[in-house]
Amino acid sequence: MPMSATSYINGLGRYVPPRAVSNADLEKLVDTSDEWITARTGIKVRHIAEKGQPSSDLAYEASKRALEHAGIEPGELTHVLVATCTPDSYCPNTASMLAHRLGVGTPMAMDINAACTGFLYSLEIARSLLCTYPDAKVLVTASEVLSSRTNWADRSTCVLFGDGAGAAVLTNKPTGELPFSVGPMQLRSDGQYADLLTIKGGGSATPYTLGETVREDFFITMEGREVFKQAVRNMASLCKELLEKAGMDINDVDLLVPHQANLRIIEALGNRLKIDRNKVFSNVQKYGNTSAASIPIALTEGIEQGILAKGDSVLVTSFGAGLTWGAGLLQA
Ligand SMILES: CC(C)(COP(=O)(O)OP(=O)(O)OC[C@H]1O[C@@H](n2cnc3c(N)ncnc32)[C@H](O)[C@@H]1OP(=O)(O)O)[C@@H](O)C(=O)NCCC(=O)NCCS
């Protein structure tokens, strides 16, 4: 039986590194054009971390803002989760680095790798922790430095991604200006499509030996067309299933906040769900695909811009490597 306690997101924060890379900048790197990138993806700009700037650094900035927004001191946190597929290192985990830098003390600290669906997976885990420990205060941060695993010679992938972080603070009591209750969620995976989107090289299945030069498989590789189809199909069907189980109609949703991978995917999803265009949030134009960070960045921006307000029912959905995908309902 699913748990009955209600968990709340009491604070949100976001951070992207200052260095903005435009489509014109990419024209100097690979054989591409602003026209092609805009028409195929909607992306105009993405932010890129400094070389060697780790995910925990971006996570720290976003987390500080989320904690401030929630009115919670780092020392009060009991659990720190970091959703990332670009951790600071293979081992130790990024969550321990983040917790230490924030001055949390000695919390349970854990990384979660579900690629772009990592934030939704982490919310579900945070909620489970809050059910077991009702007084817990859980920090969920999603942080990615995808630029560290981007093949800057591959025009089919390097134009798509960006770096960034988003964070949320969860407790079982609503506090702060705009708490969101975390409603029903559906999370899925299907490993039969693992090869469609990978960062394989250097893993235990494809190890390197000392002195060996990294191969192309060290970086993001993707079958773009197939990923596109799977993304639209899976997010749309899971959103429909979630709404039906919740006894809701798409017209009951005030805002759809989908994973920000590609404007065409977002539009196709909106069409399949038959949701009013004005109710679909997008900021992929400014950040590209920031993987796990994309939904918390979007939620934070939605609040900052007044697009997301008290009383709103928010449908969030995401999709990524694994394959993994998910959908959830938040109530502001
Ligand atoms: C990647 C993506 C934008 C490519 O668009 P597409 O319409 O499928 O394009 P194709 O891959 O079929 O390539 C079409 C042509 O454009 C070319 N092309 C690829 N990238 C290019 C670029 N950056 N600039 C110019 N041309 C490019 C290809 O080489 C191909 O040329 P060809 O016909 O001469 O072989 C699209 O498939 C996509 O968005 N997929 C989903 C990706 C995604 O969001 N992944 C993350 C999910 S979490």
Side-chain angles (χ1 to χ4, degrees), residues 30-33 36-37 40-41 116 155-157 159-161 197 222-228 231 259 261-262 264-265 289 319-321:
V30 285
D31 181 14
T32 191
S33 64
W36 192 96
I37 301 169
R40 294 298 221 287
T41 73
C116 301
R155 68 176 182 172
S156 69
T157 54
V159 301
L160 303 174
F161 300 101
L197 179 49
M222 183 174 62
E223 289 182 35
R225 279 195 175 199
E226 195 48 36
V227 170
F228 190 110
H259 173 48
N262 179 320
R264 282 166 57 222
I265 293 179
N289 179 350
F319 177 89

Side-chain angles (χ1 to χ4, degrees), residues 3 102 107 109 171:
M3 67 218 138
L102 286 168
T171 69

Side-chain angles (χ1 to χ4, degrees), residues 129-144:
L129 286 166
L130 280 158
C131 198
T132 312
Y133 307 102
D135 295 326
K137 294 182 178 175
V138 185
L139 174 67
V140 170
T141 303
S143 186
E144 302 282 12

